[in-house]
Amino acid sequence: MTFEFKHLLPEDFSPTSRVWIYQASRPFLLSEALELEDMLQTFVSSWTTHGAPVKGYANLLFGRFIVLMADTSVSGCSTDSSVHLIKDIEKRFEINLFDRLALAFVVKEKIQVIPMSQVDYAIKEGFIDADTIYFNNIVPSKEEMEDNWMIPLADSWLAGRFLPLRK
């Protein structure tokens, strides 16, 4: 599997565009991904903030990560509407998109999800190490996503929690 994604992001969006990444508890099936694409495009085409259109982007990356991006400043109500969409997706596809304790890594060219409580074990057993690519889903902007979404575990916030990774 190739993990190139930058070419999928909108070129005409500012580097400071706000980003939200939702990681699915399982990969979406192809049929689900096609339906999800329609849901995302419908949402983006009608996304507004204080009655004005939001210049938005939405996509499913690697069959597992829903990315929403706004190149317009959005209000609390606009953000709430995006969260409502994600909750609707969860219900529709019986999938969890809010589990921040499930961490995604690239292991043997595949996306593997490890519960945070098992990361120490995964390191000790050699399943992951300091060079393993980690999906840092808390990146706040387009620029941060481009530069710091997929990073070595040793460069992530997790490094401080797991002593064997400290350099």
Side-chain angles (χ1 to χ4, degrees), residues 76-92:
C77 291
S78 302
T79 303
D80 288 349
S81 68
S82 69
V83 171
H84 183 73
L85 165 72
I86 298 301
K87 287 182 177 183
D88 286 348
I89 292 168
E90 279 189 318
K91 281 184 190 173
R92 171 71 187 99

Side-chain angles (χ1 to χ4, degrees), residues 58-153:
N59 204 349
L60 175 65
L61 298 181
F62 311 129
R64 190 134 198 173
F65 303 93
I66 296 174
V67 177
L68 297 178
M69 188 180 303
D71 194 36
T72 311
S73 181
V74 292
S75 66
C77 291
S78 302
T79 303
D80 288 349
S81 68
S82 69
V83 171
H84 183 73
L85 165 72
I86 298 301
K87 287 182 177 183
D88 286 348
I89 292 168
E90 279 189 318
K91 281 184 190 173
R92 171 71 187 99
F93 299 108
E94 298 179 358
I95 199 163
N96 188 336
L97 294 163
F98 288 100
D99 185 356
R100 300 295 186 202
L101 297 179
L103 308 174
F105 302 89
V106 177
V107 178
K108 296 182 181 178
E109 299 300 313
K110 292 184 180 179
I111 297 171
Q112 300 291 332
V113 175
I114 302 172
M116 187 182 299
S117 63
Q118 296 297 310
V119 170
D120 192 47
Y121 176 81
I123 292 168
K124 286 178 183 170
E125 295 299 316
F127 185 63
I128 60 175
D129 60 30
D131 297 321
T132 300
I133 298 300
Y134 165 68
F135 288 90
N136 181 27
N137 295 327
I138 59 173
V139 293
S141 68
K142 178 186 177 201
E143 181 176 50
E144 283 290 313
M145 183 176 181
E146 290 171 336
D147 297 340
N148 296 308
W149 181 39
M150 295 178 62
I151 56 175
L153 183 55

Side-chain angles (χ1 to χ4, degrees), residues 15-44:
T16 60
S17 295
R18 180 73 174 95
V19 169
W20 298 266
I21 300 173
Y22 298 91
Q23 176 183 299
S25 54
R26 63 168 173 78
F28 283 91
L29 302 172
L30 180 58
S31 59
E32 293 173 330
L34 294 171
E35 186 177 341
L36 176 62
E37 182 179 319
D38 287 342
M39 292 175 74
L40 294 174
Q41 296 319 309
T42 298
F43 173 77
V44 168

